[in-house]
Amino acid sequence: MFFYVTTIGFPIQKSDVFIPTISEENASTYKASCTELNISQVFENPKSLIGTKVKVKGELLQKQENFDNTTFIHLKVPDLYPNPYIVVTYSSKIPYNEGDSLDIYGVYDYPVLIGKDETSRITVPSIKGAYIEKV
């Protein structure tokens, strides 16, 4: 089961967690505006990239599609330490399945707390996804 908790102030607005998706017609321009996520920088200072447009490659570990057509994704990212994944929020449903390799383009954010209770919660980075493609 997927659990998601955010440290963003309350009440949480949809715009705090999601950004608009990018159409296929505008994808190449948006993709060109993103830089590869710097894993070393995330490790050294995870807050330093907040608000930066990034691209990150990873494996879809788990997805949760919600009643409002939004999607939460656990994305396993190679070399990310100490927790090997990022939470991706996406403002529509996606046609991809667990195990698929994806390129995610969006806006970096930190921190997000995930877990089912106080003792199991961990802090991870997140990406507010704007465009996703299978690789």
Side-chain angles (χ1 to χ4, degrees):
M1 182 147 202
F2 194 103
F3 301 92
Y4 177 82
V5 178
T6 182
T7 59
I8 297 172
F10 293 94
I12 296 171
Q13 302 294 317
K14 190 172 180 177
S15 61
D16 291 332
V17 181
F18 299 95
I19 59 174
T21 58
I22 301 300
S23 67
E24 286 293 326
E25 297 81 38
N26 297 321
S28 62
T29 302
Y30 189 85
K31 287 166 50 174
S33 72
C34 296
T35 58
E36 192 78 34
L37 181 63
N38 184 328
I39 299 298
S40 296
Q41 192 170 352
V42 170
F43 177 71
E44 291 172 19
N45 183 359
K47 292 183 179 183
S48 66
L49 294 172
I50 292 174
T52 305
K53 286 184 181 179
V54 297
K55 170 192 173 189
V56 63
K57 181 179 291 229
E59 176 188 345
L60 194 160
L61 290 179
Q62 189 175 22
K63 73 177 178 178
Q64 175 182 313
E65 293 180 332
N66 303 304
F67 66 92
D68 62 354
N69 291 326
T70 59
T71 303
F72 291 109
I73 298 169
H74 276 173
L75 187 74
K76 183 178 180 183
V77 178
D79 302 322
L80 191 59
Y81 179 82
N83 300 306
Y85 54 86
I86 290 176
V87 171
V88 177
T89 59
Y90 197 65
S91 60
S92 66
K93 291 187 177 183
I94 62 170
Y96 311 117
N97 300 306
E98 293 175 7
D100 287 345
S101 291
L102 303 176
D103 280 345
I104 309 282
Y105 299 85
V107 177
Y108 179 87
D109 201 11
Y110 183 87
V112 169
L113 296 175
I114 59 171
K116 53 185 164 184
D117 57 45
E118 294 281 330
T119 59
S120 69
R121 288 193 183 135
I122 59 172
T123 303
V124 298
S126 72
I127 305 292
K128 297 174 187 176
Y131 187 75
I132 300 176
E133 62 187 359
K134 186 176 176 179
V135 291

